[in-house]
Amino acid sequence: MLKTIIDSGPLIALFDRSDKYHKIVLDFIKSYQGKLITSWAVITEVSHMLDFNLQVQIDFLKWCEMGGIEVYPISQDEISNIRVMMEKYSNIPMDLADATLMYIANKENIKNIVSIDSDFDIYRTLKKQSLNNLLK
């Protein structure tokens, strides 16, 4: 099964009908055949950005519960790897959510991402490869 990392931007757009990327992301989600993987940092970021409506936040969490995405477990002893990555890209800067996604990509050898963020055009895996953004 194809595994793809998903960033906060598309998740926000999926649940915010006024977002300019809403239809693009909705169409992608409907047609995607595979597993979408994210981190708790992304879930937190999405929930915060959807704070304009508590029901929308709840709908997002229900969708997560029903398996819309898989939340990848990151243990405390893995935090140092994420911090090192943030330090490496501090000039961009790389935030926690993005760092966790790149960490997952490296650890699980995942080559695809769904993002509306151009920072993922810059970030590289440990093998010096960029991720293939399925929304572009």
Side-chain angles (χ1 to χ4, degrees), residues 60-73:
F60 167 64
L61 293 175
K62 283 181 183 176
W63 181 74
C64 293
E65 277 181 78
M66 294 180 343
I69 51 176
E70 176 183 314
V71 181
Y72 189 87

Side-chain angles (χ1 to χ4, degrees), residues 80-92:
S80 63
N81 296 316
I82 293 165
R83 177 191 46 78
V84 167
M85 201 171 308
M86 290 172 73
E87 289 172 346
K88 177 181 177 181
Y89 289 102
S90 63
N91 61 324
I92 295 177

Side-chain angles (χ1 to χ4, degrees), residues 73-82:
I74 296 174
S75 66
Q76 185 169 355
D77 63 335
E78 295 170 294
I79 294 172
S80 63
N81 296 316
I82 293 165

Side-chain angles (χ1 to χ4, degrees), residues 6-8 11-12 38-49 60 71-74 82 86 95-101 104:
I6 189 163
D7 191 18
S8 57
L11 293 171
I12 294 164
T38 200
S39 68
W40 274 109
V42 170
I43 298 289
T44 301
E45 192 171 83
V46 171
S47 296
H48 174 73
M49 296 304 292
F60 167 64
V71 181
Y72 189 87
I74 296 174
I82 293 165
M86 290 172 73
D95 67 19
L96 177 62
D98 289 356
T100 62
L101 295 180
I104 296 165

